[in-house]
Amino acid sequence: MKYILIDADTGIDDSIAILFALKRKDVRVVGITTGFGNTNARQAADNSLRLIQLSGVDYEVPVAVGATGPLVGEWEGPVPHIHGHNGIGDAQIPASSQQPLEEAACDFIIRMAKEYEGKLTLVTLGRMTNLALALQKEPELPRLVKNVVFMGGTYHAPGNVTPVAEANIAGDPEAADQVLQAGFDITMVGLDVTQKVRLTAEHIEKLDKYAAPENRPIVDYLKQAMPLYFRFNRQQNNCLDHCPVHDPMAMLTVVDPALVTTRRMPARVECGGNFCRGMVVTDLREYPMDAQYLNICVDVDGRKAVEELLTTFMD
Ligand code: BDR
Ligand code: CA
């Protein structure tokens, strides 16, 4: 069994990652923490609670609200043109009677790390602010958790918010650099792989046809949410009814590491600069700079990844 704590800015691709994890028999989601990004942290928590209920998962998944902005500077605000006004593509799914915890996300992360000492994988799908705050309170965190897998950054692929930076890292570079240098066993699932994995309108049709009966609410949700995401990708990236698979790819990497090829490289996050703020700077020199080594995903079996994602929702 894989014990996972998910930290998300619960938007459309986060929601697919969350539903996928909740549906896996080999995964136990010990909780979800939320932060700002695609939407605000409270809305992200509300979305997460709705998705937990929608999934029909048969155990309790606590949700804790986290950071409302980055460690340095101001949050630029949500992105309704990508993720809708509610963060989940303006899809209407039933509200949950479950409430978020009173406990702050960073405290919940520390508590779960201790409860599942040595067994917990932290999967971050948004800014790393909650994890950086947890580290500041509990510097032993890298020793307490098994590993960290994060969706974010890019090694060779172009950035998606600046020429060289990806949104989750650019949204809080200071937090990301603190986490990357803290001593975790850490894997970067960045744009080099997520851009190579494509979800298409045909895939949603296939799900509509073959989804297990108990997953009908999930398919109905995806049919509501995905058109907006496809439209953004069409307008922004010339994608005709397809989109990259960002956050679900991080979850897929956790459940099936053989899907990706990784390379160990020392890396830092650029926290200054006019053009490169938020860039993940890797050092391939023989005598590299003093930086922590990351497992950076450099390639992926995209067809297999999508099949594994979709079949999880099928009979
Ligand atoms: C990342 O940014 C967010 O918009 C997505 O949910 C994903 O986590 C992609 O750059
Ligand atoms: Ca995300």
Side-chain angles (χ1 to χ4, degrees):
M1 183 63 78
K2 293 184 193 308
Y3 296 93
I4 293 181
L5 188 152
I6 304 172
D7 184 80
D9 55 337
T10 316
I12 296 173
D13 60 326
D14 305 71
S15 74
I16 303 173
I18 289 170
L19 290 166
F20 171 74
L22 292 171
K23 279 289 154 192
R24 296 285 301 201
K25 301 270 181 289
D26 52 351
V27 166
R28 174 95 185 187
V29 180
V30 307
I32 299 175
T33 53
T34 64
F36 67 98
N38 295 327
T39 185
N40 66 62
R42 285 239 153 244
Q43 179 74 58
D46 182 64
N47 292 346
S48 302
L49 289 166
R50 288 172 193 253
L51 292 162
I52 291 165
Q53 178 173 266
L54 194 79
S55 76
V57 65
D58 61 2
Y59 57 88
E60 203 192 319
V61 182
V63 173
V65 183
T68 55
L71 297 184
V72 175
E74 298 285 320
W75 174 38
E76 284 173 1
V79 282
H81 59 297
I82 309 175
H83 293 274
H85 295 280
N86 64 356
I88 47 173
D90 298 324
Q92 300 302 317
I93 53 176
S96 169
S97 53
Q98 187 186 332
Q99 297 299 312
L101 300 174
E102 294 288 323
E103 193 177 16
C106 57
D107 295 326
F108 179 71
I109 292 171
I110 296 168
R111 185 159 66 83
M112 288 300 108
K114 289 181 175 163
E115 197 169 318
Y116 291 88
E117 188 172 338
K119 291 199 287 196
L120 191 61
T121 296
L122 303 176
V123 182
T124 71
L125 308 177
R127 282 66 173 154
M128 292 192 184
T129 321
N130 289 333
L131 190 44
L133 292 171
L135 256 179
Q136 288 172 10
K137 280 192 160 177
E138 179 47 275
E140 286 297 302
L141 208 53
R143 188 187 57 74
L144 293 170
V145 302
K146 185 174 166 214
N147 61 341
V148 173
V149 177
F150 72 97
M151 190 282 132
T154 179
Y155 162 55
H156 270 169
N160 62 359
V161 287
T162 77
V164 295
E166 180 281 331
N168 288 340
I169 305 294
D172 195 343
E174 282 76 13
D177 197 47
Q178 285 179 22
V179 171
L180 263 51
Q181 304 310 310
F184 290 107
D185 172 342
I186 187 161
T187 300
M188 173 172 129
V189 184
L191 300 177
D192 306 279
V193 289
T194 67
Q195 291 280 13
K196 282 186 193 154
V197 189
R198 294 279 148 174
L199 194 61
T200 67
E202 288 77 35
H203 288 138
I204 305 298
E205 282 165 24
K206 284 221 167 69
L207 269 183
D208 200 16
K209 203 163 160 191
Y210 299 118
E214 70 270 20
N215 292 333
R216 181 53 37 200
I218 292 177
V219 179
D220 290 341
Y221 159 66
L222 293 175
K223 282 164 66 183
Q224 288 187 65
M226 290 309 289
L228 185 79
Y229 204 53
F230 286 140
R231 192 174 72 202
F232 163 74
N233 278 284
R234 186 167 66 237
Q235 290 167 346
Q236 200 80 3
N237 305 312
N238 294 326
C239 300
L240 197 52
D241 278 353
H242 62 95
C243 64
V245 176
H246 295 307
D247 292 340
M249 199 49 234
M251 211 61 79
L252 282 154
T253 301
V254 176
V255 300
D256 189 357
L259 289 170
V260 294
T261 310
T262 58
R263 187 167 166 190
R264 279 182 71 71
M265 286 176 254
R268 295 290 310 244
V269 176
E270 175 59 77
C271 292
N274 290 325
F275 300 107
C276 298
R277 183 167 160 78
M279 177 183 181
V280 176
V281 180
T282 49
D283 193 346
L284 302 177
R285 294 173 300 170
E286 193 139 348
Y287 298 100
M289 63 183 168
D290 187 18
Q292 198 196 307
Y293 277 70
L294 319 184
N295 308 308
I296 297 185
C297 296
V298 293
D299 208 356
V300 58
D301 185 338
R303 186 192 55 78
K304 208 167 165 223
V306 168
E307 280 177 3
E308 192 151 350
L309 175 65
L310 296 179
T311 53
T312 298
F313 299 104
M314 292 178 183
D315 277 322

